[in-house]
């Protein structure tokens, strides 16, 4: 029988999400990879237990996480039933819909039909009465923004989600969506964009001159960054090539041709900066995401984990979140866009309502 560590809240920092009363751990656990049917359930259970024991209260899923689509939610639901049921009120569980779930006309996009039916299916798979956060997973140029936002509004009103969020929206669409939801009395809580040292689109001015980080702050949204390790590129795994058991070798969201000589040279330079800080490259990359940026400071970094050991190493990034001006300059001098933002086309598909 699992009993959570009594000291689990003693070391994890918790950050308020935008203008809401909700707090998230500085590092959250995402179940995009390693929680489908290709990973033994006992390994998944060990990672989830360890995360909670170290103060990770937020677990992030989506309807199509697997393999197969839906498998991560089903497996997570099994662990919740076995271990976490007594702690449900201490957990933030999120899910999403927007990307491809099935090949029917109702398995993609931002329609009311898709969002509502998808959430019902997600709740069944996880054995939950509600999720804490439900996201629209990507912009949909073929659905009126009002339809998507009003579906999120009504989902919150139904009690099937406590908060609503968006993912991969550009700054202008984020402003319009936030204004629309505020008028409906259901403020958007959070934005989940890709963001890393080598993928900084959220810092770049949009067509109205405002970056996504600025717009989220102005609209009262928190920001939780996914892929802060650049799909595994910002780790020590690829310093000397592509290991056979790596994400790149398996074709899981990190293409081998991204590990070209220019990018590898950059990674090695960043690795050296991390060593001088007494951190691994992954730890420095997470600390960099969580660095103080004033009102634009990221609320939480969303990490995956394939083992308890990897999870522990990532969580240890929280031991040093401070950067000197010279360290930040060295990182900026070394880093360039690595061309890995595979969600960029979705963001660009809809720049305004």
């Amino acid at each position: 029988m699992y009993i959570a560590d009594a000291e689990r809240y003693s070391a994890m920092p918790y950050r308020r999400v935008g203008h809401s009363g909700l707090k998230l751990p500085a590092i959250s656990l995402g179940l995009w990879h390693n929680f489908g049917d290709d990973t033994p359930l006992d390994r998944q259970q060990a990672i989830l237990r360890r995360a909670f024991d170290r103060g990770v209260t937020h677990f992030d899923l989506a309807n199509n996480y697997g393999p197969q689509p839906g498998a991560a939610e089903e497996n997570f639901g099994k662990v919740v039933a076995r271990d976490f049921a007594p702690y449900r009120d201490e957990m933030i569980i999120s899910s999403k819909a927007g990307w491809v779930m099935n090949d029917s006309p109702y398995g993609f996009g931002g329609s009311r039909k898709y969002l509502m039916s998808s959430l019902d299916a997600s709740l069944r798979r996880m054995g939950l009465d509600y999720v804490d956060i439900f996201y629209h997973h990507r912009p949909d140029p073929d659905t009126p923004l009002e339809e998507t936002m009003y579906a999120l509004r009504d989902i919150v009103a139904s009690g099937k989600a406590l908060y609503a969020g968006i993912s991969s929206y550009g700054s202008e669409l984020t402003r319009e969506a936030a204004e629309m939801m505020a008028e409906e009395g259901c403020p958007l809580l959070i934005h989940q964009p890709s963001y890393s040292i080598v993928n900084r689109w959220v810092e770049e001015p949009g067509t109205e001159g405002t970056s996504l980080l600025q717009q989220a702050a102005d609209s009262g949204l928190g920001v939780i960054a996914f892929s802060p390790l650049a799909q595994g590129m910002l780790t020590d795994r690829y310093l000397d090539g592509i290991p056979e058991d790596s994400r790149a070798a398996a074709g899981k969201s990190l293409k081998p041709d991204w590990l070209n000589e220019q990018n590898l040279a950059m990674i090695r330079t960043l690795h050296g900066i991390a060593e001088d800080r007494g951190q691994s490259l992954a730890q420095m990359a997470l600390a960099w995401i969580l660095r103080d940026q004033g009102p634009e400071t990221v609320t939480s970094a969303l990490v995956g984990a394939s083992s308890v050991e990897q999870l522990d190493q990532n969580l240890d990034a929280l031991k040093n979140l401070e950067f000197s001006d010279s360290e930040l300059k060295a990182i900026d001098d070394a880093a360039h866009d690595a061309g890995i933002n595979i969600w960029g086309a979705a963001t660009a598909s809809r720049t305004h309502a």
Side-chain angles (χ1 to χ4, degrees):
M1 181 178 177
Y2 170 70
I3 299 176
D5 191 321
E7 301 298 320
R8 61 190 177 276
Y9 300 126
S10 61
M12 174 66 72
Y14 297 90
R15 298 181 172 188
R16 192 170 302 279
V17 188
H19 293 172
S20 78
L22 186 68
K23 293 181 179 180
L24 291 183
I27 293 180
S28 300
L29 182 64
L31 280 67
W32 178 19
H33 296 300
N34 305 309
F35 291 87
D37 290 339
D38 57 346
T39 304
L41 188 61
D42 59 349
R43 187 189 306 170
Q44 300 180 35
Q45 183 181 40
I47 295 169
L48 292 166
R49 284 181 170 186
R50 181 61 172 170
F52 194 63
D53 282 343
R54 290 198 59 177
V56 176
T57 54
H58 180 213
F59 300 88
D60 182 76
L61 299 100
N63 59 350
N64 62 345
Y65 289 174
Q68 296 293 319
E73 289 182 330
E74 290 179 357
N75 291 332
F76 180 70
K78 293 174 184 176
V79 178
V80 168
R82 294 177 186 177
D83 294 336
F84 295 140
Y87 306 102
R88 175 64 183 97
D89 291 345
E90 300 178 39
M91 301 176 74
I92 303 298
I93 299 171
S94 59
S95 193
K96 319 176 196 73
W99 287 97
V100 177
M101 181 61 184
N102 56 58
D103 58 5
S104 80
Y106 319 110
F108 175 85
S111 71
R112 182 181 183 90
K113 165 69 174 176
Y114 179 34
L115 297 187
M116 289 190 156
S117 60
S118 178
L119 177 55
D120 285 343
S122 291
L123 293 175
R124 288 194 298 270
R125 284 190 289 267
M126 292 187 285
L128 300 176
D129 296 325
Y130 69 96
V131 293
D132 297 274
I133 306 169
F134 186 67
Y135 292 88
H136 184 219
H137 207 170
R138 56 152 293 161
D140 177 12
D142 297 322
T143 301
L145 185 63
E146 292 86 349
E147 179 176 346
T148 301
M149 292 302 108
Y150 294 169
L152 292 178
R153 173 201 65 189
D154 292 346
I155 282 169
V156 172
S158 74
K160 294 179 181 179
L162 303 187
Y163 300 93
I166 52 177
S167 180
S168 295
Y169 278 48
S171 59
E172 293 79 17
L173 196 63
T174 295
R175 175 185 56 76
E176 294 184 37
E179 290 174 353
M180 191 176 296
M181 290 292 275
E183 291 173 358
E184 294 299 313
C186 181
L188 286 174
L189 173 79
I190 194 167
H191 191 300
Q192 186 176 132
S194 62
Y195 183 28
S196 70
I197 289 174
V198 297
N199 175 23
R200 304 191 190 185
W201 72 274
V202 300
E203 299 177 359
E204 299 168 1
T207 58
E208 297 178 354
T210 303
S211 72
L212 177 60
L213 289 181
Q214 291 174 323
Q215 189 58 62
D218 292 346
S219 297
L221 279 68
V223 171
I224 178 168
F226 76 86
S227 288
L229 303 183
Q231 290 98 278
M233 185 180 289
L234 292 174
T235 69
D236 300 340
R237 297 215 73 189
Y238 303 105
L239 294 175
D240 300 309
I242 302 177
E244 291 184 2
D245 62 344
S246 67
R247 184 183 292 191
K252 289 186 174 181
S253 76
L254 179 57
K255 298 177 181 179
D257 59 4
W258 290 342
L259 296 167
N260 54 56
E261 281 307 312
Q262 185 181 20
N263 282 347
L264 287 174
M266 171 179 61
I267 292 169
R268 293 181 185 118
T269 301
L270 291 170
H271 171 73
I273 299 170
E275 278 192 322
D276 290 342
R277 284 174 49 83
Q279 291 182 312
S280 70
L281 176 54
Q283 288 169 343
M284 184 182 77
L286 291 171
W288 183 89
I289 283 290
L290 295 168
R291 72 196 186 283
D292 184 1
Q293 298 190 74
E296 298 169 25
T297 300
V298 168
T299 307
S300 184
L302 190 59
V303 304
S306 59
S307 66
V308 169
E309 293 75 20
Q310 183 187 42
L311 174 70
D312 278 337
Q313 291 170 8
N314 287 340
L315 291 175
D316 286 346
L318 298 172
K319 294 178 180 179
N320 182 11
L321 300 181
E322 301 298 322
F323 287 86
S324 67
D325 290 342
S326 61
E327 286 173 332
L328 291 174
K329 183 179 186 302
I331 291 171
D332 287 344
D333 289 345
H336 61 254
D337 189 294
I340 60 171
N341 184 8
I342 57 177
W343 308 273
T347 303
S349 71
R350 183 169 188 166
T351 57
H352 57 78

